[in-house]
Amino acid sequence: MPPPPPPRLLLVLLLAVLVGAVLAHGRILLAFDGLPRSADSTALRLPSESEGERPSPRAVGAEQGCEMTYGFLPCTETAAGNLFLALAYGFLMFKSATYLSAGSELLLEILGPGIVGGLFLPILGALPDALLILVSGLSGSKEVAQSQVLIGMGLLAGSTVMLLTILWGSCVVVGKCDLSENSTTVDSQDTKAFSLFGSGVSTDLQTSYAARIMAISVLPFIVVQIPSILKLQSGHRLTLMLGLIVAVLLLLTYCLYQIFQPWIQRRKLEYSRLKHVMSGLLKHAQMHTFGRLMDGDGSPNVHVIEKLFHKIDLDNDGRIERGELQAFIVGINFEDIDLDSNLAVDQVMADFDRSQNNLIEKGEFIDGVLRWLEEAKRAVVTSGVYSKKFMEDFHTTTRDEHNALLDKDEDDGESIENPTWTCSKAIALLLLGTAMAAAFADPLVDAVHNFSSATSIPSFFISFIAMPLATNSSEAVSAIIFASRKKQRTLSLTFSEVYGGVTMNNTLCLAVFLALVYIRGLTWDFSSEVLVIFLVCIIMGLFTSFRTTFPLWTCFVAFLLYPLSLILVYILDYKFGWS
């Protein structure tokens, strides 16, 4: 087996990807001026001062209809056309985020979760948002940048508010379990339907720490608003620089915290082990029972599941005991991944034994396998078409995920099956995701800006509502799937990642925004938007920092904050003239 590539080389390659993403956003334009070109002239060029800055979209539209981004991408003046372009580019940004996430997880297989999981993964997760914010005010004249940068602020505010309201509330609804008498949830038990006070979710204490970190991360917003709060006539650029410094320092502090306290990554590793146990059991059952677990149309075959139950139930007493389950698990080939059979039994018992009697009864076994089959289908059937190979695909996926999340400091000597291939695949996915984000961020901003001009809808509200769906959908789907497990551990991971995403918005994305405003000399006039971000982060931060149980009624608090945020921005900007 070839030795794994040196970690230092991989770090250099990853840094090159990140730097390349930034450099790619010098506005590269095709020089279609109708003049003949010499043999040594280039088709691509950067706009220079002598050639004049890029004209505004409206000015170009008056002369030649509309401006093609990069000189060749399609453009239109109609609202419907720009809506289509925004949706198309938004989908490409969504795929970019998906590739970055997949490449980041594979990179963990080589470098381990310490530095990679604590430093690079949070940055890569926020990269699409950061690039969209960057290009929103990077190109064109100062006047064009000032108008388009509102799209970046809309994305920043919309992403933060969506994570803490719609996604947070959805995770409460999906992950709710029965609340016991001591106000803690009972894992996997959901018998009280939509009882506002009788059901809810519980998290651990460390998740509340993540919420406190998120609340602290709003400090740069306060710093940049000091002149407005104190009604000062000067000092705006100074506070912009101070806010940028504070945001960068908080970003570095947060990344270092993740490096030295990687508890979120350890949770992911534990959950990946459970999923690999799931896939191993299902694959073994598929190969060794009489019949297939899934019919040709993708529906579960309950009769075959019952046969599997009786095969594990060695004494035929209608219940599976720990010893019987362990004997079955020991005989399963997990493809050279050394999983502790005792730990695997504990995880399966905890997942199936809803009656908490340390026995798995027939009904519990059938319900558990049905849940596993449904999750396996969700994990691998991405095109909506069921394939009979999905069980094998799920097993391969979970094995790779387990390897990707394996902590090199805590493993027991497991070796990577093909480090060169894994490294190449990770780098390829990171390059593809970064290139897509770099290439399509600018056209997406242009499409949103043109749609705003065609419909007279403020670009802030379009970017606030629509653009976070493109950049955060992948994380949102993953969070909801985790929450649907209805376990305190997976719910703790889900909410920790939500708070972590907001923290990256308030540090990395805000730092990019402040640097853009400062360097281009733009006017900082976003008091209403900052107020919305501040209020939502503080309300949800205080609400989640000092409690670990959230009854179902709390989801309505989160849901209501979303429309209230839009209404507040509208009133402050268009009724009180804050804009």
Side-chain angles (χ1 to χ4, degrees):
M1 180 178 296
R8 184 174 300 175
L9 175 60
L10 288 174
L11 289 174
V12 171
L13 289 173
L14 188 55
L15 285 173
V17 172
L18 297 175
V19 173
V22 177
L23 295 179
H25 276 85
R27 288 284 297 190
I28 301 176
L29 303 177
L30 280 173
F32 288 127
D33 55 8
L35 298 176
R37 298 211 171 262
S38 61
D40 59 346
S41 65
T42 58
L44 295 176
R45 60 183 173 86
L46 294 173
S48 63
E49 294 181 1
S50 62
E51 294 169 329
E53 293 187 308
R54 176 187 176 188
S56 68
R58 292 182 181 179
V60 174
E63 297 176 4
Q64 55 189 26
C66 64
E67 178 188 16
M68 296 184 293
T69 306
Y70 305 137
F72 63 90
L73 290 180
C75 68
T76 177
E77 291 182 290
T78 66
N82 280 297
L83 176 60
F84 172 78
L85 290 177
L87 291 174
Y89 295 136
F91 174 76
L92 291 171
M93 290 297 293
F94 164 73
K95 297 300 293 182
S96 165
T98 302
Y99 293 141
L100 286 171
S101 176
S104 301
E105 291 184 356
L106 282 177
L107 197 63
L108 282 170
E109 185 173 350
I110 301 295
L111 299 181
I115 294 177
V116 175
L119 180 60
F120 290 109
L121 295 196
I123 292 176
L124 289 171
L127 184 62
D129 282 356
L131 289 177
L132 282 168
I133 291 171
L134 181 65
V135 303
S136 67
L138 190 63
S139 59
S141 66
K142 184 176 179 179
E143 291 73 20
V144 171
Q146 186 69 54
S147 65
Q148 288 198 159
V149 80
L150 192 60
I151 297 175
M153 176 53 74
L155 171 62
L156 179 58
S159 178
T160 297
V161 173
M162 188 197 78
L163 289 173
L164 288 178
T165 58
I166 295 177
L167 181 57
W168 192 94
S170 298
C171 289
V172 172
V173 174
V174 172
K176 66 181 179 65
C177 298
D178 295 344
L179 293 178
S180 62
E181 295 180 357
N182 59 354
S183 297
T184 59
T185 56
V186 180
D187 283 354
S188 302
Q189 182 174 309
D190 186 17
T191 61
K192 298 182 179 179
F194 289 92
S195 173
L196 296 180
F197 297 91
S199 63
V201 299
S202 288
T203 60
D204 59 18
L205 191 60
Q206 288 178 314
T207 305
S208 65
Y209 297 158
R212 295 175 193 178
I213 295 173
M214 177 198 69
I216 295 172
S217 69
V218 301
L219 183 59
F221 289 103
I222 300 175
V223 173
V224 297
Q225 285 299 115
I226 289 176
S228 299
I229 295 173
L230 300 180
K231 300 187 183 301
L232 301 177
Q233 299 300 318
S234 60
H236 292 272
R237 286 186 60 80
L238 176 61
T239 54
L240 281 175
M241 177 58 69
L242 290 176
L244 174 59
I245 293 173
V246 172
V248 172
L249 290 176
L250 286 176
L251 173 63
L252 294 176
T253 302
Y254 179 68
C255 290
L256 290 174
Y257 173 77
Q258 290 294 313
I259 291 173
F260 294 107
Q261 297 291 332
W263 45 272
I264 292 180
Q265 300 163 58
R266 293 194 182 102
R267 289 177 182 170
K268 286 184 177 180
L269 177 60
E270 184 174 344
Y271 183 56
S272 74
R273 284 173 176 158
L274 171 60
K275 289 205 296 184
H276 196 62
V277 171
M278 290 167 47
S279 66
L281 289 172
L282 293 176
K283 182 181 179 182
H284 181 85
Q286 185 90 331
M287 295 173 60
H288 295 88
T289 53
F290 301 101
R292 304 186 68 87
L293 291 173
M294 305 288 285
D295 293 330
D297 59 355
S299 59
N301 191 330
V302 177
H303 180 64
V304 174
I305 297 174
E306 291 176 345
K307 288 183 178 180
L308 176 60
F309 173 83
H310 292 300
K311 180 177 181 179
I312 302 175
D313 182 20
L314 298 177
D315 57 7
N316 296 318
D317 63 350
R319 299 177 299 182
I320 296 177
E321 301 173 357
R322 290 183 58 88
E324 294 171 328
L325 182 60
Q326 185 162 12
F328 180 71
I329 289 177
V330 168
I332 296 177
N333 177 21
F334 284 101
E335 297 189 8
D336 299 327
I337 291 182
D338 185 17
L339 289 176
D340 187 339
S341 61
N342 290 317
L343 177 60
V345 170
D346 290 339
Q347 291 177 318
V348 175
M349 291 292 292
D351 202 41
F352 279 27
D353 181 21
R354 295 195 170 189
S355 60
Q356 306 293 319
N357 62 352
N358 292 320
L359 297 169
I360 301 177
E361 298 172 355
K362 187 175 182 179
E364 293 174 331
F365 183 83
I366 293 174
D367 290 342
V369 173
L370 291 177
R371 290 198 312 272
W372 283 10
L373 290 171
E374 186 61 32
E375 181 164 347
K377 287 174 61 178
R378 284 201 304 263
V380 298
V381 183
T382 56
S383 63
V385 179
Y386 168 72
S387 170
K388 293 182 180 180
K389 290 180 58 182
F390 93 99
M391 200 75 71
E392 181 179 346
D393 295 338
F394 180 58
H395 187 68
T396 302
T397 300
T398 57
R399 183 195 62 209
D400 293 343
E401 181 179 301
H402 178 272
N403 286 336
L405 291 170
L406 198 61
D407 191 335
K408 303 303 181 189
D409 293 329
E410 297 181 356
D411 66 13
D412 53 1
E414 293 182 38
S415 59
I416 300 170
E417 186 175 339
N418 193 335
T420 303
W421 165 249
T422 302
C423 174
S424 301
K425 185 177 181 181
I427 296 299
L429 287 171
L430 291 175
L431 287 172
L432 178 60
T434 304
M436 289 180 64
F440 297 110
D442 202 0
L444 177 57
V445 170
D446 285 344
V448 171
H449 187 273
N450 293 334
F451 180 77
S452 172
S453 300
T455 59
S456 299
I457 300 174
S459 59
F460 170 83
F461 292 103
I462 299 173
S463 57
F464 185 99
I465 296 171
M467 291 178 71
L469 298 177
T471 58
N472 293 291
S473 292
S474 178
E475 291 79 2
V477 171
S478 176
I480 291 175
I481 290 176
F482 266 64
S484 67
R485 298 297 301 168
K486 297 183 181 293
K487 301 281 187 179
Q488 186 189 61
R489 288 185 178 274
T490 53
L491 283 164
S492 297
L493 172 60
T494 295
F495 288 110
S496 295
E497 291 192 323
V498 170
Y499 304 145
V502 175
T503 301
M504 293 304 295
N505 284 346
N506 294 344
T507 54
L508 175 63
C509 294
L510 178 61
V512 172
F513 193 89
L514 292 175
L516 181 65
V517 173
Y518 183 86
I519 293 173
R520 297 224 58 186
L522 305 179
T523 302
W524 178 266
D525 191 16
F526 307 106
S527 297
S528 59
E529 294 83 357
V530 169
L531 180 61
V532 164
I533 296 173
F534 176 81
L535 288 177
V536 172
C537 288
I538 292 299
I539 291 173
M540 294 301 295
L542 293 177
F543 188 57
T544 57
S545 294
F546 301 101
R547 60 187 302 167
T548 56
T549 299
F550 304 95
L552 184 59
W553 65 264
T554 58
C555 74
F556 294 104
V557 176
F559 287 144
L560 286 173
L561 283 175
Y562 188 82
L564 289 177
S565 299
L566 282 170
I567 294 172
L568 181 60
V569 172
Y570 177 81
I571 292 175
L572 293 178
D573 281 350
Y574 296 96
K575 299 299 181 183
F576 291 94
W578 280 30
S579 176

